[in-house]
Amino acid sequence: RLVSMTEMLNKAKEGKYAVGQFNINNLEWTQAVLTAAQENNSPIILGVSEGAGKYMGGPTVVSAMVNALLEAMDITVPVALHLDHGSSFEKCKEAIDAGYTSVMIDGSHDPIDDNITLTKKVVEYAHARGVSVEAEVGTVGGEEDGVIGGVKYADLEECKRMVTEAGVDALAAALGSVHGTYDGEPKLGFDEMKAISEATNAPLVLHGGSGIPEHQVKRAIEYGHAKINVNTELQQQFTKAVRELLDTDKKVYDPRKVLKPGVQAIIDTTKSTMDMFGSTGKA
Ligand code: G3H
Ligand code: ZN
């Protein structure tokens, strides 16, 4: 059975490790990350952006697929199904009604008062149904699903207000991370991070987790991050492995054979990422 993020994130913050949100794109992707979680005995958050959800046939299809896989694969580790970067109350409601156990409402591009009001509305609907909520303050840079944004650091007072007034379960305080790839090393605001974590005591969420070097990941966890989102890294490793096969084997045409090395790459990458986040063995 799917669970919300609340318990897994509180345990992670307490135990100084982070639970990975791994974004899924299709059946094989979901099988791969669930295999990794079960083999690593790690909790996992399945991230589904609105675009990926639509690609898979909509939230009801995603929810039905994930629930059926948990059963068929005998998954016993904690799994949350989470709407990534929900753009409106309606989109969050649609996901919750379809069976998602967690949602992110991303009102980060609105003025803070509007962001808090919107988030609070989502929290009221979600909490009444046992669903956890993540909010974003400041803005993550880079591109996701065609939405391009610049980096704006999260403000400490705004973070405090978001946690106390809206009552969120997790807070994405944007501090220099970007979606997609980094040019050189990311420049994360560690001082601000520490201050926000201490002032809010909320589990923090690090977006743009792909390509952040291990020492920075460790420090982000030390300073209150309990959830790290990874999307691009899995996509790159999957595509690299499939491309290698297609480059070397000009005769292959069975899609199951074409995708096989890609699936294995997702499993391997997810497992090593869980090791780095410290969530391995924490189910
Ligand atoms: O919300 C999803 C993440 O922030 C993914 O970022 O694609 O850079 O790993 P990434
Ligand atoms: Zn993100």
Side-chain angles (χ1 to χ4, degrees):
R1 284 221 334 116
L2 289 168
V3 295
S4 83
M5 304 197 300
T6 312
E7 197 187 324
M8 57 171 99
L9 293 192
N10 289 339
K11 273 172 75 177
K13 182 157 170 119
E14 178 79 30
K16 295 260 183 214
Y17 61 92
V19 180
Q21 172 191 305
F22 298 95
N23 284 49
I24 57 172
N25 291 285
N26 56 27
L27 173 74
E28 289 85 350
W29 217 281
T30 313
Q31 289 172 312
V33 296
L34 286 175
T35 297
Q38 189 66 26
E39 287 183 9
N40 269 19
N41 195 33
S42 166
I44 185 169
I45 297 158
L46 306 178
V48 184
S49 67
E50 288 177 7
K54 198 174 167 202
Y55 175 82
M56 288 184 269
T60 55
V61 176
V62 175
S63 178
M65 174 184 75
V66 170
N67 276 295
L69 284 177
L70 295 188
E71 183 87 23
M73 295 172 71
D74 282 321
I75 301 296
T76 54
V77 296
V79 180
L81 178 57
H82 176 80
L83 177 67
D84 191 25
H85 293 281
S87 61
S88 65
F89 172 81
E90 288 70 28
K91 291 286 181 190
C92 290
K93 180 180 181 296
E94 186 190 20
I96 294 166
D97 292 348
Y100 285 43
T101 52
S102 188
V103 292
M104 173 188 190
I105 175 69
D106 184 352
S108 63
H109 300 281
D110 297 334
I112 188 65
D113 288 325
D114 297 349
N115 189 358
I116 292 172
T117 304
L118 173 63
T119 302
K120 202 173 166 193
K121 191 176 170 196
V122 172
V123 167
E124 276 160 15
Y125 191 82
H127 282 185
R129 290 156 182 82
V131 170
S132 51
V133 179
E134 171 184 338
E136 179 170 325
V137 173
T139 56
V140 177
E143 187 199 319
E144 192 174 42
D145 275 349
V147 184
I148 303 173
V151 177
K152 186 173 140 247
Y153 269 43
D155 173 81
L156 176 67
E157 293 307 317
E158 292 184 0
C159 288
K160 281 205 269 192
R161 283 189 56 201
M162 178 59 86
V163 172
T164 53
E165 292 175 33
V168 291
D169 307 285
L171 179 69
L175 292 167
S177 64
V178 302
H179 290 132
T181 53
Y182 290 90
D183 282 334
E185 282 219 4
K187 291 179 184 61
L188 302 182
F190 287 108
D191 294 340
E192 293 86 346
M193 198 183 285
K194 195 162 182 273
I196 290 167
S197 175
E198 283 167 3
T200 62
N201 207 29
L204 299 182
V205 182
L206 183 58
H207 281 253
S210 301
I212 300 181
E214 181 158 1
H215 69 275
Q216 292 202 25
V217 166
K218 293 260 146 73
R219 209 164 155 209
I221 293 171
E222 181 65 30
Y223 291 170
H225 278 88
K227 173 175 183 269
I228 304 178
N229 294 359
V230 179
N231 183 23
T232 301
E233 178 74 17
L234 294 187
Q235 296 189 336
Q236 288 175 327
Q237 297 304 326
F238 169 84
T239 303
K240 182 168 171 257
V242 172
R243 186 174 284 133
E244 265 164 28
L245 175 80
L246 293 174
D247 282 346
T248 48
D249 186 343
K250 299 289 181 192
K251 290 207 181 82
V252 66
Y253 58 85
D254 181 338
R256 292 167 295 185
K257 289 183 183 148
V258 172
L259 296 183
K260 201 174 179 205
V263 169
Q264 190 57 49
I266 298 171
I267 296 173
D268 296 343
T269 306
T270 304
K271 288 175 87 168
S272 59
T273 305
M274 286 170 161
D275 291 345
M276 175 165 71
F277 292 172
S279 72
T280 297
K282 298 290 177 12

